[in-house]
């Protein structure tokens, strides 16, 4: 069995101005980093992560901060399991938020259908919302290094939203055709 290897970044930055510290935290979270504690985070060892972390190390120095970047391996399989569980838990938290937004999307389509609000403007708005859901799920997937438990449910839920929007679109098209009437009605 191959040993999992991570990059371990420890850093300390001045507390003022806080926006710099927050910006650094956001960058690391957007890369999928798992925080073990304040100023200590892990990322899987990849060339992409190494480049990004070296850039951040330079940014930390420019903030008059300190950073140490190490390559880290677990002492035993139990440690590996703990770290991978943290990565999965972070992604599952994001998947849960995504699933909540899918529920909002489904509720919006149900409301528009119940109100028989079948307009192109509403269809376009919902189509944009679906595109945002797709983009968001893809972003989460890129950071799901170890196969979080809710990944499959999120993909299935997005597919359901796509089917729902397709059904709504057909209702909009039918309603718009009906509103135009036939040439005989003119």
């Amino acid at each position: 069995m191959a040993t999992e290897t991570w990059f371990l970044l420890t850093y300390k930055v001045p507390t003022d101005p806080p926006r710099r510290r927050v910006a650094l935290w956001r960058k690391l979270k957007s890369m999928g980093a798992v925080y073990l504690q304040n100023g200590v985070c892990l990322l899987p060892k990849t060339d992409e992560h190494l480049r990004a972390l070296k850039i951040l190390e330079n940014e930390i120095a420019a903030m008059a901060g300190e950073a140490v970047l190490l390559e880290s391996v677990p002492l035993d399989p139990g440690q590996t399991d703990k770290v991978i569980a943290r990565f999965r838990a972070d992604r599952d938290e994001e998947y849960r938020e995504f699933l909540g937004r899918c529920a909002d999307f489904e509720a919006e389509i149900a409301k528009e259908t119940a109100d028989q609000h079948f307009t192109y403007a509403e269809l376009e708005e919902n189509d944009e919302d679906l595109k945002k859901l797709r983009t968001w799920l893809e972003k989460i997937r890129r950071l799901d290094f170890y196969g979080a438990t809710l990944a499959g449910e999120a993909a299935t839920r997005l597919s359901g939203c796509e089917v729902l929007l397709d059904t709504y679109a057909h209702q909009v098209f039918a309603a718009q055709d009906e509103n135009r009437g036939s040439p005989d009605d003119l």
Side-chain angles (χ1 to χ4, degrees):
M1 178 173 128
T3 301
E4 190 68 40
T5 306
W6 294 287
F7 288 125
L8 175 73
L9 174 68
T10 66
Y11 66 89
K12 185 176 180 181
V13 293
T15 55
D16 281 328
R19 64 177 161 68
R20 286 178 155 175
R21 204 173 62 246
V22 171
L24 178 61
W25 176 83
R26 283 186 177 144
K27 286 178 184 179
L28 285 160
K29 290 304 274 185
S30 74
M31 293 169 57
V34 165
Y35 271 81
L36 302 178
Q37 57 182 286
N38 286 336
V40 180
C41 58
L42 286 174
L43 276 165
K45 181 183 174 189
T46 67
D47 290 340
E48 180 183 348
H49 288 152
L50 179 59
R51 282 189 302 274
L53 288 169
K54 292 300 278 179
I55 290 168
L56 287 178
E57 182 181 31
N58 190 49
E59 288 179 21
I60 291 166
M63 291 182 216
E66 299 173 19
V68 175
L69 181 59
L70 303 168
E71 193 173 300
S72 177
V73 294
L75 292 176
D76 59 62
Q79 298 303 313
T80 300
D81 294 344
K82 282 182 191 178
V83 171
I84 290 174
R86 294 281 299 271
F87 277 102
R88 286 179 178 152
D90 280 5
R91 294 301 76 79
D92 276 339
E93 185 177 318
E94 292 179 17
Y95 283 127
R96 268 190 283 288
E97 187 177 346
F98 173 82
L99 290 167
R101 294 286 172 87
C102 286
D104 294 344
F105 180 86
E106 294 160 352
E108 175 64 18
I109 297 290
K111 178 186 172 298
E112 298 303 336
T113 301
D115 293 346
Q116 296 193 5
H117 192 218
F118 301 120
T119 65
Y120 286 121
E122 192 60 43
L123 177 59
E124 186 176 354
E125 183 181 314
N126 287 312
D127 189 53
E128 283 301 313
D129 289 344
L130 183 63
K131 286 177 187 171
K132 289 175 187 174
L133 286 173
R134 284 184 188 127
T135 301
W136 188 10
L137 182 58
E138 190 52 41
K139 180 181 173 191
I140 297 169
R141 283 179 177 154
R142 280 194 311 272
L143 302 179
D144 190 1
F145 309 122
Y146 299 103
T149 57
L150 295 176
E153 183 180 341
T156 300
R157 195 73 173 269
L158 179 62
S159 294
C161 289
E162 291 168 341
V163 168
L164 198 59
L165 183 61
D166 191 47
T167 301
Y168 178 73
H170 288 298
Q171 292 171 314
V172 168
F173 301 149
Q176 294 303 315
D177 286 345
E178 189 177 288
N179 289 340
R180 285 193 190 111
S182 69
D184 297 336
D185 293 339
L186 299 176

